[in-house]
Amino acid sequence: MLREKLSPIDAFKAADKNGDKVICIDELRQAIKTMLNYSEITPADLKMTMVAFDTNRNNFIDENEFISCITKARENAPPGLSLNPILGKANAPFSLDGTVSSIALQD
């Protein structure tokens, strides 16, 4: 899978398809499916990802929550470790070095 450097804000914007400054559960599902090239994501994996990012528990991931989660993961993990534990998958869409699947940028 091709990956390219993206800042957390660019990764957030790629997932926020409707541009309303938050990622809803449907946008999160679509972003993960697209970035991971999955036909389906399990409800458990989707919920685990939402819980990890949605710290105020309003059922939306805002820009600050997204950036904060990525930043904390980078600060607390060895270099090169991906966010795989959050997603429970072998190929997480976001890695701690700031890369994201280039597929995520396509509409």
Side-chain angles (χ1 to χ4, degrees):
M1 178 180 299
L2 297 176
R3 292 173 101 58
E4 62 182 66
K5 288 279 188 184
L6 281 183
S7 68
I9 187 63
D10 289 336
F12 177 83
K13 288 177 183 177
D16 180 21
K17 293 295 186 186
N18 67 3
D20 65 354
K21 309 288 188 207
V22 293
I23 299 170
C24 67
I25 194 79
D26 291 330
E27 288 173 316
L28 181 62
R29 180 185 300 109
Q30 188 59 43
I32 291 170
K33 285 169 59 175
T34 302
M35 290 180 214
L36 295 175
N37 198 24
Y38 283 6
S39 60
E40 284 299 320
I41 179 169
T42 68
D45 286 342
L46 187 62
K47 182 176 180 171
M48 186 169 48
T49 303
M50 184 61 118
V51 166
F53 282 87
D54 180 25
T55 57
N56 68 6
R57 303 296 182 250
N58 69 349
N59 295 315
F60 295 96
I61 302 168
D62 65 39
E63 185 176 297
N64 290 332
E65 289 171 321
F66 187 88
I67 292 171
S68 177
C69 185
I70 298 293
T71 301
K72 286 178 185 174
R74 285 180 179 169
E75 291 171 353
N76 296 318
L81 183 68
S82 72
L83 296 178
N84 297 350
I86 292 173
L87 296 176
K89 298 294 179 187
N91 295 310
F94 309 105
S95 67
L96 298 178
D97 65 359
T99 61
V100 65
S101 168
S102 61
I103 296 170
L105 298 177
Q106 300 172 4
D107 286 334

